[in-house]
Amino acid sequence: MIRVAVDAMGGDRGPKEIVAGALDAASDTVQPVIVGPAGLDTQGLELIEAPDVIAMDEKPTDAVRAKPNSSLVAACRAVGEGKADAVVSAGNTGAMLAASLLELRRIPGVRRPAIAVTIPARHGPSVLLDSGANADARPEDLVQFAHMGAVFAEEILGIADPQIRLLSIGEEPEKGNHLTIEAHRLLASATDLNFAGNAEGRDLLAGAADVVVTDGFTGNIALKVTEGTIQSLLAGLREEITATATGRLGGLLIRSAARRLRERLDPDTYGGAYLLGLRGLAVIAHGNSSRRAITNAIRLAARGVEKDVVGRLSQNLGDSVLASRPSTTPTPNVR
């Protein structure tokens, strides 16, 4: 039985939606554990009491320190103390990072954890990281992100020997800023990675690579541009179809194909993103997650436990990885 601690107070839609998603995720092998205030209706699911709440607009590090009994921090602590195998939260992303660093700690040799987001590319999903955990990064951090992404692609997406590319402004090795040029040099010299050079942002949805690596600032912008583009295109297509009788007739003919496309592009299908590089498994869900998204985030967390993603990362990020020199825990600098 895989136990997943679920922050009931994170997210925009309230605890009722999160509990509903947790109920749908419950099975013979997955046991969601709700973390929230006393008296919360968990519909029969186990409750870990946590009276405080970290709001979306609070400063992450200060909020985690000031509210150790918040639902978000308590959910992370449950994993650190062995009361749960993974944690899921749709709450403040920065606070989730800060709480995870505090309660779960980093894998030895990892300088900075990274957010790994699944991109619904045309010919199959790929992973983009870092998608927002580190606004600033060093070239050796991007090499670690590449190793993390390779493990993610192998274990979660089922891709053997995943191809890795570096997000830049051109395919040539000399294109980019100092970070990408130096990162390209380091990645090209890493013989244990299937590095195929640079990729441009326009190729993300076309399937630029199985793993696309960048810093958190660039990655978060790329992710939000991609999400916004998808939403605008789907909304525009729906408006055009319903605008005329001919369009509505055509809409009936393509209904099945449109439904499959919407399902593939919908972020709720993937549920959330792994925060990789920690000694425990953490999944960050979107702030506006529906019950379906929460269900899929819990299943994603359980799949990571089943595939031993943390153990695989620990093996992969050993002494052979650059950045083996540990540094002090960096202050979270995220959206």
Side-chain angles (χ1 to χ4, degrees), residues 72 92 120 128 137 156 196 209 224 313 335:
L72 187 153
N92 185 310
L128 173 69
I156 302 302
K224 290 180 177 178
L313 284 172
R335 54 179 174 148

Side-chain angles (χ1 to χ4, degrees), residues 46-310:
E46 180 182 342
L47 174 67
I48 296 177
E49 293 186 10
D52 298 329
V53 177
I54 294 179
M56 289 291 191
D57 58 353
E58 291 190 67
K59 189 174 181 179
T61 305
D62 292 346
V64 168
R65 290 172 179 167
K67 298 179 177 180
N69 292 319
S70 63
S71 57
L72 187 153
V73 178
C76 292
R77 187 183 305 125
V79 178
E81 294 178 347
K83 297 178 181 177
D85 302 299
V87 55
V88 170
S89 176
N92 185 310
T93 300
M96 185 63 173
L97 173 58
S100 296
L101 286 169
L102 178 66
E103 300 293 346
L104 304 182
R105 297 179 296 164
R106 293 169 294 160
I107 293 172
V110 172
R111 212 179 78 85
R112 293 172 181 258
I115 297 175
V117 173
T118 302
I119 299 293
R122 185 188 306 161
H123 301 297
S126 62
V127 56
L128 173 69
L129 77 166
D130 180 18
S131 295
N134 306 281
D136 298 302
R138 299 176 182 176
E140 57 266 30
D141 294 332
L142 270 59
V143 177
Q144 283 200 341
F145 298 164
H147 282 272
M148 294 179 189
V151 171
F152 179 101
E154 289 173 354
E155 298 300 332
I156 302 302
L157 302 182
I159 301 171
D161 192 25
Q163 185 186 79
I164 298 164
R165 288 187 183 269
L166 176 67
L167 189 62
S168 188
I169 59 173
E171 295 183 358
E172 298 84 356
E174 65 274 9
K175 288 289 185 71
N177 55 17
H178 173 74
L179 173 65
T180 54
I181 292 172
E182 180 61 16
H184 187 285
R185 184 186 68 80
L186 294 177
L187 287 164
S189 64
T191 57
D192 53 345
L193 292 172
N194 182 11
F195 180 60
N198 291 346
E200 298 184 55
R202 65 185 178 188
D203 297 323
L204 283 177
L205 285 176
D210 300 315
V211 178
V212 179
V213 177
T214 186
D215 61 278
F217 180 82
T218 306
N220 192 258
I221 291 175
L223 174 65
K224 290 180 177 178
V225 168
T226 300
E227 290 179 341
T229 299
I230 291 172
Q231 291 171 359
S232 295
L233 285 175
L234 291 178
L237 178 62
R238 185 165 52 249
E239 291 171 1
E240 291 296 327
I241 288 175
T242 58
T244 64
T246 303
R248 289 191 292 273
L249 177 61
L252 291 174
L253 297 176
I254 66 167
R255 175 180 294 178
S256 296
R259 184 181 296 115
R260 290 194 301 271
L261 179 63
R262 185 173 63 248
E263 171 74 13
R264 181 166 64 83
L265 297 178
D266 189 353
D268 285 2
T269 300
Y270 301 98
Y274 283 126
L275 183 54
L276 299 176
L278 301 168
R279 297 190 187 190
L281 199 65
V283 170
I284 299 174
H286 198 285
N288 194 36
S289 291
S290 64
R291 63 184 292 173
R292 176 169 171 263
I294 294 297
T295 297
N296 288 331
I298 293 170
R299 290 172 177 166
L300 179 68
R303 192 156 65 251
V305 174
E306 181 183 1
K307 295 291 186 178
D308 190 25
V309 168
V310 173

